[in-house]
């Protein structure tokens, strides 16, 4: 019997209001059309326990959350998500499409809150071992465009309540990640019209599907 080819781990990132949900639904249709078994998940969250931690992270509260608590909660949720959902799926050849992952930690806790990249990298190694996304789609748009869209959705969560300067730092940190790992990222201009955005996403995804099929049949 041939060895099970590992599923591919695809993450979708971006600042608030860049259209992650719409485009994740689009990616699902691409994977369905290609008969690729997959699950869709999100961070923080993805399992009942991790979703409880998400709630603690996103719901606004009177007590200010200190930066280190925020960082550790994000990684606590991630440890649970990886161990109980992501890793078992990938091992069975199932693709995991995840709405945010550790690039968001480098962007929000690193860029936004100013926590050192070294500390985040250490936690990344501790929690994830060698697991990293195979491909990350960064939906990039000017911060004011995304903030206007997020604001139109209704009540703002604890992160969405941050000011524009916070999100400028988050966006800058994402773009820095792209410079450091250009091969892993596909950057899509999310301020373009939806057809153009989705044509660019499809191009990146087809490359991933070809790699996977090469592994399966080769
Ligand atoms: P969402 O709005 O994309 O569902 O994500 C919830 C918030 O969590 C979002 O504002 C970004 C934030 N977040 C972090 O601050 N660090 C992380 O590592 C992740 C995964 C999300």
């Amino acid at each position: 019997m041939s060895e099970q080819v590992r599923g591919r781990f695809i993450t979708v990132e971006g600042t608030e209001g860049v259209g992650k949900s719409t485009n994740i639904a689009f990616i699902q249709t691409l994977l369905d059309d290609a008969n690729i078994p997959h699950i869709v998940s999100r961070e923080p969250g993805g399992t009942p326990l991790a979703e409880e931690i998400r709630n603690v992270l996103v719901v606004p509260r009177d007590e200010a959350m200190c930066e280190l608590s925020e960082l550790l909660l994000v990684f606590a949720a991630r440890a649970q998500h990886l161990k109980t959902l992501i890793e078992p799926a990938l091992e069975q050849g199932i693709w995991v499409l995840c709405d945010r992952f550790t690039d968001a930690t480098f962007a929000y806790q690193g860029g936004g809150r100013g926590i050192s990249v070294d500390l985040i990298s250490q936690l990344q190694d501790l929690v994830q071992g060698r697991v990293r996304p195979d491909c990350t789609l960064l939906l990039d748009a000017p911060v004011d465009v995304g903030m206007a869209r997020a604001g139109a959705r209704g009540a703002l969560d604890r992160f969405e309540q941050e000011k524009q300067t916070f999100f400028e730092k988050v966006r800058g940190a994402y773009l820095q990640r792209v410079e450091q790992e250009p091969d892993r990222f596909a950057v899509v201009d999310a301020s373009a019209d939806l057809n153009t955005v989705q044509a660019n996403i499809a191009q990146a995804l087809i490359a991933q599907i070809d790699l996977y099929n090469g592994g399966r049949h080769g």
Side-chain angles (χ1 to χ4, degrees), residues 81-151:
H81 192 204
L82 266 170
K83 176 104 180 158
T84 65
L85 192 78
I86 297 177
E87 266 293 319
L90 295 175
E91 277 166 21
Q92 290 169 51
I94 297 167
W95 287 38
V96 177
L97 177 58
C98 196
D99 183 343
R100 297 193 187 281
F101 195 63
T102 310
D103 291 304
T105 316
F106 283 100
Y108 283 78
Q109 282 65 51
R113 305 281 191 229
I115 294 177
S116 85
V117 168
D118 274 358
L119 176 56
I120 299 172
S121 299
Q122 281 175 37
L123 289 168
Q124 173 178 240
D125 291 345
L126 173 74
V127 169
Q128 297 170 219
R130 294 217 300 254
V131 177
R132 302 286 183 275
D134 295 299
C135 172
T136 300
L137 284 172
L138 175 62
L139 299 174
D140 181 58
V143 166
D144 48 354
V145 173
M147 282 182 86
R149 285 193 207 152

Side-chain angles (χ1 to χ4, degrees), residues 10-31:
I10 311 289
T11 58
V12 181
E13 299 279 358
T15 49
E16 317 301 306
V18 289
K20 283 189 292 110
S21 306
T22 308
N23 288 307
I24 284 171
F26 171 69
I27 295 169
Q28 275 190 277
T29 64
L30 294 177
L31 296 177

Side-chain angles (χ1 to χ4, degrees), residues 16 20 43-44 54 58 70 74 78 99-101 104-105 108-109 157 159-160:
E16 317 301 306
K20 283 189 292 110
E43 289 221 343
R54 177 193 176 90
V58 302
E70 185 177 282
V74 161
R78 183 161 300 138
D99 183 343
R100 297 193 187 281
F101 195 63
T105 316
Y108 283 78
Q109 282 65 51
D157 73 22
F159 290 99
E160 290 166 341

Side-chain angles (χ1 to χ4, degrees), residues 162-175:
E162 291 291 340
K163 299 200 167 49
Q164 177 153 351
T165 50
F166 175 86
F167 293 110
E168 297 289 359
K169 288 189 265 183
V170 171
R171 184 184 184 204
Y174 270 132
L175 293 173

